[in-house]
Amino acid sequence: MLPTPEDLTLDEIASRFSTDESARRYLEEIRWGHGVVCPHCKAATQKLIWKIKENRAKKIRAGLYHCSVCDKQFTVTVGTIFEDSHIPLRKWLVAWYLLCSSKKGISSLQIQRMLGLGSYRTALFMMHRIRYALSHPAFTGMLKGTVEVDEIYLGGKQKGHGYKSLSKKSCVVSLVERGGKARSLVLDRVTGQNLRNAIMEHVQDGSVVVTDDYFGYRTLPKIFKHKPVKHSAAEYVRKEKDFKVHTNTVESKFSLLRRGMIGTFHQVSKKHLPLYLAEFDHRFNHRKNTDGERTIAALKCAEGKRLTLKPLKRSAA
Ligand SMILES: [Zn+2]
């Protein structure tokens, strides 16, 4: 029997999925739990799809299926981020698990050592592929209820003061639904218009939007109930009857991100920052789940994310 998501631990992965055959079967279970679907033509009628028996003499690999609708063959990795990867699937499973269970992230160097990968680049590609999958989650609904919004600057060496000192830094805005999900985006610049656009795009009309008293939030349209907390006047929590006006949720999320960026990843280019944000958002969005559940939720994002990584090759980190 396969381990339940709650029981999926690193020890389980290492002992139960120690061969590529077992790792592949597990991925099939996650991807095709309700029946095999042809990745080429999306046919899902089981009697029209059949498994081809492995035959090493005829170079027929294990896990191959034939779709009689489109007359093409496929395995579970076709059309996913695993396609064309030479890294064994069992190592992929461990990498997903480590990424999903490490609160502040895990460096590619450590992944290289732990999985015995040939090069740092291989480890980096692997981790970026996972992050890429997570950057397009199936959940695309709007945030609603009470949404805390805040922004921080990451990276770049602090030289001088004022606007110039910020130009090498990346600005990240996070929108966090209290008790719910989060979205993080990289902004070119922190302006009222950029913040407004981010909120309009991701937050449902009628929601309560809690921010600090940065002037850029002042022009938020009236479709939101805007409640600024006056950090400039040392106000951090304000009580309004049963409602607490504060941005502590988004700030604690940022502190984890900041610690991860300083302690684990050291330097992240502006270009790749959205990938890291997706990783941190995924862990945040599944913070109440076990490591195993968080890993399986992530693995479900692997589909439809085939990527050649050409854009990543030029500047890998
Ligand atoms: Zn087909």
Side-chain angles (χ1 to χ4, degrees):
M1 222 179 81
L2 291 165
T4 62
E6 299 80 25
D7 297 336
L8 191 66
T9 61
L10 190 55
D11 182 51
E12 277 282 337
I13 291 176
S15 60
R16 304 280 294 271
F17 308 119
S18 60
T19 64
D20 282 337
E21 170 75 15
S22 54
R24 186 180 42 72
R25 282 213 196 113
Y26 191 55
L27 277 181
E28 286 182 357
E29 178 66 29
I30 290 172
R31 188 176 180 190
W32 294 327
H34 301 291
V36 181
V37 179
C38 170
H40 303 295
C41 72
K42 307 290 174 221
T45 310
Q46 299 305 294
K47 61 182 177 191
L48 298 176
I49 297 170
W50 58 80
K51 201 166 183 174
I52 302 172
K53 211 167 178 237
E54 183 186 3
N55 188 331
R56 293 206 177 155
K58 290 184 181 170
K59 289 192 175 168
I60 295 172
R61 60 208 155 115
L64 199 63
Y65 290 81
H66 180 88
C67 170
S68 60
V69 179
C70 67
D71 209 26
K72 285 182 183 161
Q73 295 181 342
F74 60 90
T75 66
V76 70
T77 60
V78 170
T80 71
I81 64 149
F82 305 107
E83 192 172 354
D84 299 336
S85 166
H86 299 297
I87 303 160
L89 278 179
R90 62 193 160 83
K91 294 196 181 191
W92 271 106
L93 270 186
V94 176
W96 281 80
Y97 185 85
L98 291 173
L99 183 141
C100 289
S101 58
S102 312
K103 275 204 158 58
K104 284 176 274 179
I106 185 159
S107 74
S108 299
L109 208 57
Q110 193 168 351
I111 288 287
Q112 184 199 348
R113 285 196 302 266
M114 290 174 92
L115 295 182
L117 299 172
S119 74
Y120 172 70
R121 273 169 69 84
T122 304
L124 190 65
F125 280 7
M126 202 173 176
M127 300 311 272
H128 272 353
R129 282 196 190 200
I130 299 175
R131 291 182 187 112
Y132 178 79
L134 295 178
S135 67
H136 300 78
F139 169 79
T140 49
M142 304 281 267
L143 303 171
K144 56 184 188 292
T146 299
V147 181
E148 297 178 21
V149 183
D150 200 8
E151 73 292 333
I152 50 163
Y153 290 92
L154 290 173
K157 287 209 173 77
Q158 186 85 32
K159 272 185 200 157
H161 299 282
Y163 178 70
K164 270 195 173 169
S165 70
L166 295 175
S167 61
K168 285 198 174 163
K169 290 182 174 287
S170 305
C171 173
V172 173
V173 63
S174 265
L175 306 96
V176 182
E177 184 183 291
R178 271 194 206 163
K181 309 240 175 194
R183 306 268 166 81
S184 303
L185 320 159
V186 180
L187 296 184
D188 285 339
R189 282 176 60 197
V190 180
T191 62
Q193 174 139 28
N194 285 345
L195 291 169
R196 198 163 58 240
N197 289 349
I199 293 169
M200 304 257 296
E201 195 178 323
H202 295 281
V203 183
Q204 194 170 299
D205 294 5
S207 301
V208 176
V209 176
V210 186
T211 67
D212 58 21
D213 53 348
Y214 174 64
F215 70 91
Y217 292 112
R218 279 182 209 162
T219 55
L220 215 57
K222 296 267 186 285
I223 48 169
F224 303 109
K225 290 171 204 137
H226 183 211
K227 291 186 185 293
V229 59
K230 297 187 182 78
H231 286 177
S232 60
E235 178 193 66
Y236 294 97
V237 184
R238 185 173 73 248
K239 269 198 157 184
E240 290 185 359
K241 292 180 187 163
D242 292 337
F243 187 77
K244 284 182 182 165
V245 184
H246 66 74
T247 52
N248 296 349
T249 322
V250 64
E251 279 168 45
S252 67
K253 182 176 181 299
F254 274 154
S255 86
L256 205 57
L257 176 67
R258 203 185 283 280
R259 278 186 282 148
M261 286 300 164
I262 295 168
T264 311
F265 300 115
H266 312 298
Q267 271 189 326
V268 171
S269 69
K270 256 184 193 176
K271 190 171 118 192
H272 292 129
L273 187 55
L275 296 175
Y276 290 87
L277 295 180
E279 173 188 334
F280 277 83
D281 279 356
H282 177 77
R283 280 193 298 264
F284 181 87
N285 291 341
H286 296 273
R287 62 197 177 281
K288 289 172 189 159
N289 302 123
T290 63
D291 292 337
E293 289 168 327
R294 204 176 304 115
T295 304
I296 289 168
L299 281 166
K300 287 185 175 164
C301 299
E303 196 170 336
K305 307 290 168 35
R306 190 163 174 252
L307 117 139
T308 55
L309 286 171
K310 266 186 197 145
L312 297 177
K313 276 185 180 166
R314 258 170 252 125
S315 59

